[in-house]
Short mmCIF file of all heavy atoms in Angstrom, two decimals:
data_model
loop_
_atom_site.label_atom_id
_atom_site.label_comp_id
_atom_site.label_asym_id
_atom_site.label_seq_id
_atom_site.Cartn_x
_atom_site.Cartn_y
_atom_site.Cartn_z
N ARG P 43 57.81 14.61 147.90
CA ARG P 43 58.28 15.47 146.81
C ARG P 43 59.22 16.56 147.35
O ARG P 43 60.29 16.81 146.78
CB ARG P 43 57.09 16.11 146.10
CG ARG P 43 57.49 16.98 144.92
CD ARG P 43 56.27 17.60 144.27
NE ARG P 43 55.44 16.59 143.63
CZ ARG P 43 55.71 16.03 142.46
NH1 ARG P 43 56.79 16.37 141.79
NH2 ARG P 43 54.90 15.14 141.95
N PRO P 56 59.35 14.02 138.52
CA PRO P 56 58.34 14.32 137.49
C PRO P 56 57.13 14.98 138.12
O PRO P 56 56.87 14.85 139.32
CB PRO P 56 58.00 12.94 136.92
CG PRO P 56 58.42 11.97 137.97
CD PRO P 56 59.61 12.58 138.64
N SER P 57 56.36 15.69 137.31
CA SER P 57 55.20 16.42 137.84
C SER P 57 54.15 15.49 138.42
O SER P 57 53.37 15.88 139.28
CB SER P 57 54.58 17.29 136.73
OG SER P 57 54.25 16.49 135.60
N GLU P 58 54.12 14.24 137.95
CA GLU P 58 53.16 13.26 138.45
C GLU P 58 53.91 12.07 139.03
O GLU P 58 54.72 11.45 138.35
CB GLU P 58 52.23 12.80 137.33
CG GLU P 58 51.18 11.81 137.78
CD GLU P 58 50.25 11.40 136.66
OE1 GLU P 58 50.37 11.96 135.54
OE2 GLU P 58 49.41 10.51 136.87
N ILE P 59 53.63 11.77 140.29
CA ILE P 59 54.25 10.63 140.95
C ILE P 59 53.50 9.37 140.52
O ILE P 59 52.32 9.20 140.83
CB ILE P 59 54.21 10.78 142.48
CG1 ILE P 59 54.95 12.04 142.91
CG2 ILE P 59 54.79 9.55 143.15
CD1 ILE P 59 56.41 12.05 142.57
N ASP P 131 40.39 7.75 139.22
CA ASP P 131 41.16 8.26 138.09
C ASP P 131 40.28 8.33 136.85
O ASP P 131 39.50 7.41 136.57
CB ASP P 131 42.35 7.33 137.82
CG ASP P 131 43.21 7.82 136.67
OD1 ASP P 131 43.68 8.96 136.73
OD2 ASP P 131 43.40 7.05 135.71
N LEU P 163 39.03 12.34 138.65
CA LEU P 163 40.12 13.31 138.71
C LEU P 163 41.27 12.91 137.80
O LEU P 163 41.53 11.73 137.57
CB LEU P 163 40.64 13.41 140.15
CG LEU P 163 39.64 13.87 141.21
CD1 LEU P 163 40.27 13.79 142.59
CD2 LEU P 163 39.16 15.29 140.93
N ASP P 164 41.97 13.92 137.31
CA ASP P 164 43.21 13.71 136.59
C ASP P 164 44.29 13.43 137.63
O ASP P 164 44.49 14.20 138.56
CB ASP P 164 43.56 14.97 135.80
CG ASP P 164 44.76 14.79 134.89
OD1 ASP P 164 45.62 13.94 135.20
OD2 ASP P 164 44.85 15.49 133.87
N SER P 165 44.99 12.31 137.48
CA SER P 165 45.98 11.93 138.49
C SER P 165 47.08 12.97 138.65
O SER P 165 47.69 13.08 139.71
CB SER P 165 46.61 10.58 138.13
OG SER P 165 47.16 10.61 136.84
N LEU P 166 47.32 13.77 137.61
CA LEU P 166 48.33 14.81 137.70
C LEU P 166 48.02 15.80 138.82
O LEU P 166 48.93 16.36 139.44
CB LEU P 166 48.42 15.55 136.36
CG LEU P 166 49.43 16.70 136.27
CD1 LEU P 166 50.85 16.17 136.46
CD2 LEU P 166 49.31 17.40 134.92
N ASN P 167 46.74 16.00 139.09
CA ASN P 167 46.32 17.01 140.07
C ASN P 167 45.82 16.41 141.39
O ASN P 167 45.20 17.11 142.19
CB ASN P 167 45.21 17.87 139.47
CG ASN P 167 45.66 18.57 138.19
OD1 ASN P 167 46.75 19.11 138.14
ND2 ASN P 167 44.83 18.54 137.16
N SER P 168 46.08 15.13 141.61
CA SER P 168 45.57 14.50 142.83
C SER P 168 46.63 13.60 143.45
O SER P 168 47.01 12.58 142.88
CB SER P 168 44.32 13.66 142.51
OG SER P 168 43.95 12.86 143.62
N GLU P 169 47.10 13.99 144.64
CA GLU P 169 48.07 13.16 145.35
C GLU P 169 47.46 11.80 145.70
O GLU P 169 48.14 10.78 145.67
CB GLU P 169 48.53 13.84 146.64
CG GLU P 169 49.44 15.03 146.44
CD GLU P 169 48.68 16.33 146.29
OE1 GLU P 169 47.43 16.29 146.33
OE2 GLU P 169 49.34 17.39 146.13
N ILE P 171 45.15 10.05 144.04
CA ILE P 171 45.13 9.17 142.86
C ILE P 171 46.54 8.64 142.58
O ILE P 171 46.73 7.47 142.21
CB ILE P 171 44.59 9.90 141.62
CG1 ILE P 171 43.12 10.30 141.82
CG2 ILE P 171 44.74 9.04 140.38
CD1 ILE P 171 42.13 9.16 141.76
N GLN P 172 47.53 9.48 142.76
CA GLN P 172 48.91 9.05 142.55
C GLN P 172 49.29 7.93 143.52
O GLN P 172 50.01 6.99 143.15
CB GLN P 172 49.86 10.24 142.69
CG GLN P 172 49.71 11.27 141.58
CD GLN P 172 50.51 12.53 141.80
OE1 GLN P 172 51.59 12.49 142.39
NE2 GLN P 172 50.00 13.65 141.34
#
Side-chain angles (χ1 to χ4, degrees):
R43 182 181 293 282
S57 55
E58 181 179 355
I59 301 298
D131 181 57
L163 300 174
D164 186 333
S165 56
L166 179 63
N167 302 315
S168 170
E169 288 89 359
I171 296 287
Q172 292 173 33

